[in-house]
Amino acid sequence: MLLLSYFLLLVFPAALFAAAQSAGDLHGFSLPHTSFDPTDPCMVVTPPCMSEADRYSLEALRNIHQMMDDDQDGGIEVEESVEFIIEDMKQQQTNKHSNLHREDQHITVEELWRGWKSSQVHNWTQEEVLRWLKDFVELPQYEKNFKEFKVTGNTLPRIAANEPSFLSGQLKVQDQRDKQKLNIKALDVVLFGPPTRPHNYMKDLLLIVSVVMGIGGCWFAQAQNKASKVHIAKMMKDLESLQSAEQSLMELQEQLERAQEEKRSVAEEKQSLEEKMRDEIMGAQEEAHRLHELRQGAVNELSRLRYAEEELEQVREVLKQAEKDMQASWTASEALQQWLQLTHEVEVQYYNVKKHSAELQLATAKEEKELKRKEALCWGLFMWRTVHLWIKLTIKSLRQKMLYLKLRPAYGSAFIAGSRLSDCVGFQS
């Protein structure tokens, strides 16, 4: 192992130096001698120091190793690490030594250097160091000094080693308490790695409560959303039923309006029919009065004919009596008798003609009277049937109106529509 280390130190220093220069990683590095110096502490460790900052870091780590190695046997045991943590660093977290030792129970300077070079803190940038200064060390007043000196992670071992010239002269930290605080915090990150914040149970409790409240809020929101959807669906259903009811009501209103219009038209037709029937009745009455007058005239004519016939009979009797008296008193000449006989025959013929004419007129009057009587009887029968039918229809209409007025409060517009429909189809109860 030692021969391999010397071989690496002899063969690769120039190559490593050239690579570091080409990458621009050498800050303030200077190689005083081109030849290998076996007494140079930077050349006997692996990996070797590549810059001036590495040299200072290695020197600071040697001082820290010397402070922790109480028995000065060249190695740091676990007991020495625990004692250093408790007494020098004033911490009770004795399990921190596991981060330093891991499986190595005896840590040398080279192992400490190798662990430092591979640690995360070694690669800290200036911004990360400033964040560590403000958040964990809690000394933000020295942020300006750290910026001016361009303190990086590779500079922290010098703070951990508590170099008086570096802290007081270059970083200008004059307060002893601040120096001690910087020293302890730097030892913590150099030896045990990046700091971890202490576990905050209150924070966990608040987080759990927040998560529970969030889950509860989500559940409540989902339940409210579901309830609102159900409510909206119910409202939509009610709205649809309301719309259908409104449509039905509008249809019933239209039916009622049509029924009222039909009722109005029926009333108008009924009124016109009544007026027509009234006119016909008046005409029938006038015709009956005329027939009555005609009948009275026919009777009067027959009476006059009978009276004339009686008078004619009386004249005949008088003539016969006068003829008898005349025959008894004197005898007329034959010529006068012939003239009288001729006159008598003419009068008898004239009388027969008048009698026949009167009989014909009487027979015609009787026939006309009988015909008028039959016509009057037929017309009266027709008018009686018409009036009887009108009275029957009027009584039926009044009954329907009374039934409608009785049942309207119980059945409403539905009964009206049914009643109008029954009237339209001619249904009779």
Side-chain angles (χ1 to χ4, degrees):
M1 180 69 179
L2 186 60
L3 292 175
L4 181 59
S5 299
Y6 278 110
F7 176 76
L8 291 173
L9 290 173
L10 289 173
V11 175
F12 295 103
L16 291 173
F17 175 69
Q21 273 191 338
S22 62
D25 293 335
L26 292 177
H27 176 68
F29 177 81
S30 62
L31 191 62
H33 302 287
T34 56
S35 61
F36 172 72
D37 186 3
T39 61
D40 189 358
C42 284
M43 295 296 130
V44 296
V45 293
T46 304
C49 300
M50 303 304 297
S51 63
E52 191 69 21
D54 286 345
R55 184 181 294 276
Y56 287 128
S57 297
L58 179 59
E59 185 63 28
L61 287 174
R62 285 183 181 276
N63 294 332
I64 295 170
H65 187 275
Q66 187 176 0
M67 286 189 297
M68 296 180 68
D69 188 11
D70 293 333
D71 55 5
Q72 302 297 323
D73 60 349
I76 302 173
E77 287 78 14
V78 177
E79 294 79 8
E80 293 174 341
S81 298
V82 173
E83 184 180 356
F84 181 78
I85 292 170
I86 295 173
E87 295 180 359
D88 294 359
M89 297 182 64
K90 305 296 188 293
Q91 296 184 9
Q92 299 300 325
Q93 299 179 5
T94 55
N95 58 345
K96 277 192 171 184
H97 67 276
S98 59
N99 296 333
L100 176 64
H101 285 276
R102 295 182 178 86
E103 297 179 358
D104 192 357
Q105 303 297 322
H106 189 81
I107 300 175
T108 61
V109 175
E110 186 174 355
E111 291 173 345
L112 186 63
W113 167 254
R114 193 180 303 117
W116 164 247
K117 292 290 286 185
S118 62
S119 69
Q120 182 180 353
V121 182
H122 174 267
N123 298 319
W124 274 4
T125 61
Q126 184 178 352
E127 289 75 13
E128 291 174 328
V129 172
L130 293 175
R131 192 181 306 118
W132 166 78
L133 179 67
K134 290 187 294 184
D135 297 341
F136 293 95
V137 185
E138 298 178 354
L139 294 175
Q141 63 269 26
Y142 298 110
E143 182 178 356
K144 183 178 179 181
N145 301 340
F146 274 61
K147 284 183 179 179
E148 290 178 355
F149 194 73
K150 297 181 180 180
V151 178
T152 61
N154 200 19
T155 314
L156 292 179
R158 300 183 66 181
I159 301 174
N162 198 10
E163 295 182 12
S165 59
F166 180 70
L167 289 174
S168 301
Q170 297 183 11
L171 297 181
K172 298 180 178 58
V173 180
Q174 306 299 333
D175 193 339
Q176 293 298 323
R177 287 178 299 180
D178 293 344
K179 288 181 180 179
Q180 185 179 4
K181 190 174 183 179
L182 273 170
N183 173 245
I184 292 173
K185 295 293 184 180
L187 280 172
D188 194 356
V189 297
V190 169
L191 294 176
F192 308 116
T196 57
R197 293 183 181 274
H199 193 71
N200 193 341
Y201 293 98
M202 183 60 68
K203 195 174 188 180
D204 294 343
L205 180 62
L206 292 176
L207 181 61
I208 293 172
V209 171
S210 300
V211 170
V212 171
M213 290 179 65
I215 295 174
C218 292
W219 175 81
F220 180 75
Q222 186 177 4
Q224 289 293 323
N225 187 20
K226 185 177 180 180
S228 63
K229 287 182 178 178
V230 172
H231 185 63
I232 290 172
K234 186 177 179 181
M235 287 181 63
M236 292 298 294
K237 187 176 180 181
D238 294 340
L239 183 61
E240 291 177 356
S241 61
L242 182 62
Q243 288 179 352
S244 62
E246 185 178 2
Q247 186 68 24
S248 301
L249 180 60
M250 291 178 65
E251 292 178 356
L252 289 175
Q253 287 180 351
E254 292 178 357
Q255 292 178 2
L256 178 60
E257 290 177 357
R258 288 196 298 269
Q260 290 177 352
E261 187 67 25
E262 292 176 358
K263 180 181 178 182
R264 195 178 300 110
S265 62
V266 168
E268 292 176 356
E269 291 178 359
K270 179 181 176 182
Q271 185 177 1
S272 62
L273 182 61
E274 289 177 353
E275 292 178 356
K276 186 176 180 181
M277 291 178 68
R278 193 180 299 113
D279 295 338
E280 291 179 355
I281 290 172
M282 292 296 295
Q285 290 178 353
E286 292 177 356
E287 184 68 20
H289 182 68
R290 189 179 66 81
L291 291 175
H292 179 70
E293 290 179 352
L294 290 173
R295 187 169 58 252
Q296 289 294 331
V299 172
N300 294 332
E301 184 69 23
L302 290 174
S303 299
R304 284 196 299 272
L305 288 174
R306 288 196 189 105
Y307 181 72
E309 187 176 358
E310 290 176 357
E311 287 181 351
L312 184 61
E313 288 292 333
Q314 291 177 2
V315 170
R316 285 177 182 175
E317 291 293 333
V318 170
L319 288 174
K320 286 178 179 182
Q321 186 66 30
E323 184 178 3
K324 288 178 180 181
D325 292 339
M326 186 187 281
Q327 287 177 1
S329 60
W330 63 281
T331 304
S333 62
E334 293 180 0
L336 180 60
Q337 289 180 0
Q338 290 179 357
W339 282 106
L340 287 174
Q341 182 68 32
L342 181 61
T343 304
H344 174 69
E345 290 177 358
V346 171
E347 288 180 357
V348 169
Q349 291 178 0
Y350 177 74
Y351 169 74
N352 290 329
V353 170
K354 296 291 286 184
K355 181 180 179 180
H356 182 68
S357 177
E359 288 177 354
L360 290 177
Q361 290 180 1
L362 181 60
T364 304
K366 287 181 179 180
E367 290 178 358
E368 289 180 356
K369 179 181 177 182
E370 186 68 21
L371 182 62
K372 294 293 183 180
R373 188 182 67 81
K374 290 182 179 180
E375 289 180 356
L377 181 63
C378 293
W379 183 254
L381 182 61
F382 170 73
M383 292 301 298
W384 180 82
R385 293 287 295 177
T386 303
V387 172
H388 179 69
L389 179 61
W390 176 74
I391 292 172
K392 186 176 180 182
L393 291 175
T394 304
I395 293 173
K396 179 183 177 183
S397 177
L398 290 174
R399 286 179 179 177
Q400 288 180 351
K401 287 182 179 179
M402 292 176 65
L403 181 62
Y404 163 71
L405 292 175
K406 287 180 181 180
L407 298 181
R408 181 178 181 179
Y411 294 95
S413 59
F415 176 77
I416 297 172
S419 177
R420 301 306 177 195
L421 183 61
S422 66
D423 291 340
C424 294
V425 300
F427 176 76
Q428 295 182 357
S429 58

